Amino acid sequence: FAAALRAHCAGNIDWAKMAAHVLNSLVEKTSHWDKDERYMATYDLCSELGKDGELDVAMERRICTAVLKQLDDVSNDVQSIAVKCLGILMKKVQHEQVVEISEKLCTLILTGRDELRDIYSIGLKTLITDMPRETGRFVAQYLTEQLVRGASQEENTDVKLVCLDNLADLLRRFGDESARRHAEIVDMSILQLQSDRQVVRKRATACMGAIATSLSEDLLEHLVTTLLRRIEETKKEDEAATLVQAIGTVSRTVGFRMARHLDAMVPLFLRTCGDVDDEGEGGEQLNDLRESCFQAFTALLIRCPKQIVPHLDTILQASLTFMCYDPNYTYEDDDEDADMEEDEEYDEEYDDDDYQGSDDDDSSWKVRRSALKTLESIILNRPEMLSRLFSECGPALIKWFKEREEMVRLDVIACYRALVEMAIKVHGIKAAAPNDGNAMEIVDEAHSSTATPIRILEGQVPQLANASVNQLKGKSIKTKSAIAGVLTSVCTCIADCLADDIPRIVAVLRDALDDKKAAQVFKLDVLTFLRIAMERHAPPVFHGQLVDVTQICERCAAEDWYKVTSEALRLAVVIARILRPIALYRSPEDQGLSAKGELLADQAFPDYASLVGPLHQCILPRLREHDIDQEIKECAIAAAGALVRHCGDALDKAKVDALLGLIMERLRHETSRLSSLRALAGIATSPLNIDLGDVKPAAMGELCGFLRQQNRALKQNALQALSALSNHASEGSSALDAALYQAILQELAPHVADDDLRTAQLALHLTVDVLKVCPEAGEVVTSHVLPRAVSLARSPVLQGGALEALLQLFRELVLLNAPGASFDDLLVDLKEGAQGELPRESLVNIACGIAAICAVTTAEKRNAAMQDFLRDVEGDSEQAQQLGLLCVGEIGRRTDLSGLEDVHPRVLRAFESPSEDTKAAAGIALGALSAGNAAFYLPKVLDVVNQATNRYLALTSLKELIVTYARPTSDPSVLLPHVDSLIPALMAHCESDDEAVRSIVAECLGVLVVLAPDAAIPPIQDVLGRSISSATPDGAWKTRWTLATAMKFAMGPRAPVGPIRGVMPDFLQLLRDPNLSVKRAALLMLNSALHHQSVVLADQVPDTVMPALLEVFDIFIERVVDLGPFKHKVDDGLPLRKAALSCVYTGLDRIPDKLDIPALMPKLAQACGDKAEDMCLLAHQVVIKVSLVHPGALLGSADAVLGPLETVLNKKQKQAQAGHEVERRNELLRSALRALLTINSIDKNKEIRRLQDILEKASKKEHLAEMMAAETAQK
C-alpha cells in the first residue's frame, strides 16, 4: 500500500492496470466456494462495470463467461445479482460478446434445467431490454429464429411460454430487424391461438400485438382477415373470445391501419355479442367473449377515431344495453330509489331473495364492466356527441347507480363523472355563485340553438340527487367516496344546482362520517364537496346545515392526515364567509386595489355568533403549531384571517389579539409570509373595522422591509397589503404613523419604474393611499416618488392600469397642493420631461399627465396653460408643436373647448406641417377635441375626410373619436345620433389603395358595429354581398378585406351576438375568397370570433368552417425573390396556414365539440413537418391541446405525428450559428419534446412502440436528455 501511495504521489501509477487487476480479482471470486463471497464479488463487479472506462476483448470474455456461469448458481441471490450484471454488461461489451451471451441464454432456455428456466428467461429479458439498439441489429435475427423454434415446439409447454414471452419483448424493440421472419411469426402466433391453455393463447396474442406495428400491409391484411374468418367459423366461445382479444390487441398497436377492416369487424363483434337476453349454452365463456368484444370496441374507438364514426351509434347502443346485463339478479322498479324510507339501509336493496345464482359462478360483471369502459371511451373521445351522450347515457347511468357489484358500481359512477368533467372541459362552468368574490368563467347559452350539455345536466340533477342520497346511505366507503366526487363535479359545473337537495345530502354525509370505519380518503372527498358546494351556492342555501358542517369541519381539522386537515381548514374559510358574507366592490373613482367591503346582512346566518367559537377552536390549535406541514400552515393562516375578517366582532378582543399575534408571528417566517400578507390585507379591508392595535404599525414596518426583497410576488402582495392597512380606519394618526408612512414611501419609490409596470401600478396606488391618510407625507412624495413618476411618464411602454395610477397620483398631488408638487410645479416638471428626442407614445403619456392636472386645477390656470400650448402649436420647435397639439387634444377630451374659437383652426393648420410626426399629433388632437363635443367638431372632421388632401389624418381623428366612446367609462349615447353620417363617410374609403386608410376604416366600422349594430350592420352586409357576387382575385377585393377586418375588430366581449350571428354566414364565405389577402383577413376574423364570441359560429363550424380550414392547410405558393447576390424563396401560403392553425388552436380552447378533430389530424401532422419553424411551434401547441380534449384522435394518428417530431429531434444543427439562432433551434427542440411527452402521458399502456424508441434515443443525447428532464420537472 505504501508503494502504491508513493507511486500515486509521484504520479507514476497506471490506473488502467490497477482497474484490470481489480476486475481479475473479482472474476476469480465469482467462483468462490462461499456463496456470500460470490454474491459480493458479483455486486462489486456491477459497481466497477458502471464506472467509465473500456474493457479489452479478453476481459470482456472472462466477465461474460463468469456471469453466465452464475445463472446456474445454487444460490438465488447470486442468480439475481448475475441477472442485474447482465444488464450492465450489455452497455459495455462489444457486439460479439452480446451475441455470445444471447446464444448461451437461448440454449439454456431451450435445453437447460427446468428449475432454472425462469432465471434464464429473466436474463434474456434483461438483455433484450438493456441492449443498445445498434447491438440489437446483430442479435435480433438469431434470437427471433431460436425463440420462434421454441414457441413452435409442442413437447414442453414451459419452454413455449418462456419463448413467447421473450419473443414479444424482442419484437416490441427490434421487430423491424426480423422482417424476413414476419410471416413465420404471424403463422406461429395464429396457430398458438388454438392451444388448450389460456396462458399460451394470451402470450401468443401479446406476440401479435408486438409484431403488428412492424408488419407490411399485406401481412397485416393476412393476419386480420384470418382472425376475422376464424371468428365467424368457430363454434367455441372461448376460442372466439381469444380471437377477439387478439384483434383488440392488434388494434391498439397499429391504430388507423385497422380502419379498412372496421366495416367487417364491428358488425361481426356485435353479432358475436348476441342478444342481451340470450344466455345460450356458454355461461362464463359467453361472458368472456362479450367482454373481449367490448375491449376490442374500446381499442378501436381510441385508435381509429375517424373511421369508427359510422359505427358509433351501434356501439353506443350495445354499451348501454350490456352495461345493465345482469341475468342472475332481478332489480326492482325504476322508482324504488325515490320511495325508499329515510331510515332504510340502502344495501338491503340487494336482497338475497332476488339473486338467482352463485357469486362464484356469476361472471356477468365482466360484461357490464367492459361495456362501461367502452361507454367511457366514447365520452372521453367524442366531445362532439356530448349533448346526445347526456340525453341518452346520463339517465341510464344514474339509474344504474344501484348496481350490486361494488367494482362495477364504481365504474358506473366514474362514467357519469367523466361525462360531467367532459362538459366542464368543453363548455366551461355555468354561473358563479353570487358574492363569492371570485372571477369565474360564465357560459353564455342565451343564443344556443340546441339543448347544450349543461342544460341537459341541469334537468338530471334531481334524479342524480335521489340516487346519490341512496348510495350515501349504504355501507360501501368506496361508493360513497365516488358519489361525493361526482357531486363535487356537478357543483363545479353548475352553480346553485343542488339548492333543494343540500339538507338531505349534508345529513347523510354527517351520518356517514360518524361511522368509525370512514376512510381518510372519503373524509377528504366529503370536505372537498362541502367546500365546492358552499362556494357555488348562495349563502342562505346552507344556513340550515351550518351547524352540521361546522361540526364536520371541527372534527376533521383534528385528523392526523395532512390532506384532510388542510381541506378542513379550507372549509373553515368558506364557513366564515357564509356566516356573514361580504360583497367586494370598488367605486369607479377608486382606482386603488384595497377593495372595500360591505356586509350583506340579508344573507348572513342569524345565529352566526354561536358558530364563531367552534370555528375558533378548530383553527387555533393548528395555527399555534410550528412543526406541521406547510399546507396546513397556509390553510390555518387563511382560516384565521377569514374568521377575523367576517366575524371578528363576535370574538373576544383577547382572542382577536391572539389570532393577530399568531399571524404576525407567521409573517416573520419566510415560508408563511405570503399567506400572512393576504390574511392581514383581508382583515384590514373588513367592514367590521377590526381594531388592529399595535399590530398595524408592526405589520407595516415588517411589510416595508419586504419591498427590498427580490421576490416579485412578495413585493406585489406587500404593496397591496400596505394599501389595505393604510386605508384601515384607526383612532387617528400619530407621529409614529407619519414617520412610518414616510419610510414606506422611501422604500416604494424605486419600484416606480417601467421595468415592471404591474409593480409600478401597485406602488403608485399605495402612494395615493398614503397621501389620503397622511397628507404630511407630501414632502417625501415630492422628493422621492415624484421624480420617478415624471420619469415613468416619459416611458413609451407605459399604458393601461399603470398609466391610470400615475394620472391619479398627479391629480392627488395637485389637490393636495404640497410644496414642490403644486399645479405649476407639476406642469413645469412634465414639460421638462418632454425635452429631448422622445417617441410619440412618450409624448402622449406626458400629454395625458398634463391634461389630468389641468382637469383638477382652476379654470384660470387651465386657460393660461391652454394659451401656452396653442402658442407652442405655431412655434418653431417640432417637439413643442407635437406636445402642444397632444396636450390640447387631451384637455379637450376632458373639457369642452368649443368655446375657444382659435383651437380648431390652429389644429387644422398643423395638418399642413412638413413633419409627419406633427401631422400625426394633429390628427390625434382633432379626434380628442371631437370627443369633448362631437356635435360641434364632427362635421368639421367629416369635411376634411371628404377632401382629397389630409384624408388619412382626418380618418385618424375619426378613429380617435369613435374609440373614445367605445371605452367602458364613456357614454356611447353621445355618438349614436351621428352614426348615420359616419357610416357612409367610412364606407366610401373601403376600396382605398392605401392599406393604412383601409385599416383605420375597418377599425372604425368594427367599433360602430359594437356601439350601434342596427345602424352599422345592414349597410355593411349590403356592400359585402355585392362585393362577393363579383369576387375575382384581382377585382374589388379591397372592400372585402376591409369589411372582414372590420368584423375582426367588432369581435370582443361587448359584441352584439344576435346581429352578428345573422351576418356571419356571409362573412364566412370569405374563407374561400380567391384573393389571398381577403382569405387571410377572413381567417383573422374567424380567430377573433372563436376567441371572443364562439357562440356566433357554433352552428357554422361543422359544415362551413372546418372544410374551409382543411383546404387552407394545402395552400403552398412558393416563389423566388431575386435579391441580387442571392435568391430567396417565399411561401405566400405560409401566413394563411399559420392563421388557419391559430383558428384551430382557438377552436380547441373554445368549442372543441364542434371541430372534426379526426379529420384534422392528417393536416396537423403535415403542419408539424412544415419547413417554417413558426408553423412547427404552433403545430406542437395544437398537438398538446388535442391531447387534452380529444386524446383518442391523437393516439389514432400518432404514427403520422411522430414522424415530423422525430425529424425535428434528429435534424443536425448548422455550424457557426448565431446566438439567437441557437436559442430558436433549442426552443423548437423543447417544443417537440413537450409534444412527445404529452403523447406519452396519454399512451397509458405504452403501446406506441415508435414513441418509446424516439424517447429512448432522445434520452441518450445529452442536450435532449437535459431538456426532457426540465420539461418533466415542469409538468
Side-chain angles (χ1 to χ4, degrees), residues 512-519 523:
L513 288 175
D514 288 338
D515 187 355
K516 295 182 180 180
K517 297 180 180 179
K523 294 177 182 177

Side-chain angles (χ1 to χ4, degrees), residues 444-449 1009-1010 1012-1014 1017-1018 1021 1047 1050-1067 1092-1097 1099-1100:
D444 181 10
E445 298 180 335
H447 304 282
S448 178
S449 60
V1009 167
V1010 176
D1014 294 336
I1017 289 181
Q1021 187 176 16
M1047 194 54 65
M1051 296 300 175
R1054 300 166 60 194
V1057 174
I1060 290 181
R1061 181 197 287 272
V1063 300
M1064 192 49 61
D1066 294 336
F1067 279 94
H1092 295 290
Q1093 296 292 348
S1094 58
V1095 67
V1096 305
L1097 292 166
D1099 298 334
Q1100 304 289 329

Side-chain angles (χ1 to χ4, degrees), residues 773-983:
V773 299
C774 185
E776 54 266 35
E779 294 184 5
V780 179
V781 173
T782 303
S783 59
H784 289 78
V785 181
L786 184 56
R788 292 182 173 272
V790 174
S791 178
L792 179 62
R794 291 169 50 91
S795 172
V797 300
L798 178 64
Q799 58 182 327
L803 176 59
E804 290 301 322
L806 181 64
L807 300 183
Q808 186 182 9
L809 173 62
F810 288 157
R811 288 192 292 265
E812 193 68 29
L813 287 172
V814 171
L815 294 173
L816 185 63
N817 199 25
S822 63
F823 170 78
D824 295 330
D825 296 328
L826 281 175
L827 184 60
V828 171
D829 290 342
L830 289 171
K831 281 186 173 182
E832 290 179 353
Q835 301 300 317
E837 293 186 7
L838 293 176
R840 184 192 307 165
E841 293 80 6
S842 298
L843 292 176
V844 170
N845 290 335
I846 293 173
C848 289
I850 293 174
I853 63 176
C854 286
V856 294
T857 191
T858 62
E860 181 182 355
K861 290 186 176 181
R862 180 168 58 250
N863 292 334
M866 273 294 302
Q867 294 303 321
D868 290 340
F869 294 136
L870 289 174
R871 283 192 294 271
D872 290 340
V873 168
E874 296 186 342
D876 297 330
S877 171
E878 287 187 9
Q879 187 136 322
Q881 289 176 358
Q882 296 165 27
L883 180 62
L885 287 165
L886 293 172
C887 288
V888 168
E890 292 299 329
I891 294 172
R893 192 195 304 273
R894 295 163 174 80
T895 307
D896 183 6
L897 298 180
S898 59
L900 301 178
E901 298 179 356
D902 56 343
V903 174
H904 172 253
R906 294 192 186 189
V907 174
L908 283 181
R909 283 198 293 270
F911 278 19
E912 307 300 331
S913 172
S915 170
E916 293 298 327
D917 291 336
T918 303
K919 288 181 179 180
I924 295 173
L926 182 58
L929 282 172
S930 303
N933 189 336
F936 179 80
Y937 286 108
L938 184 57
K940 303 179 185 301
V941 177
L942 292 177
D943 289 341
V944 182
V945 170
N946 294 327
Q947 297 173 8
T949 58
N950 299 323
R951 180 173 295 158
Y952 174 77
L953 296 177
L955 288 170
T956 302
S957 302
L958 273 184
K959 185 187 81 169
E960 191 70 23
L961 166 66
I962 295 171
V963 170
T964 297
Y965 283 106
R967 294 172 182 170
T969 55
S970 300
D971 181 12
S973 61
V974 177
L975 187 65
L976 295 183
H978 309 286
V979 171
D980 291 338
S981 60
L982 285 170
I983 295 292

Side-chain angles (χ1 to χ4, degrees), residues 576-611:
R577 292 174 181 169
I578 287 185
L579 286 176
R580 296 176 81 188
I582 296 176
L584 301 180
Y585 67 91
R586 189 173 299 119
S587 58
E589 66 275 4
D590 179 17
Q591 296 296 328
L593 297 179
S594 53
K596 300 176 181 178
E598 179 185 12
L599 278 175
L600 300 175
D602 59 327
Q603 298 190 30
F605 182 54
D607 192 20
Y608 70 89
S610 63
L611 297 180

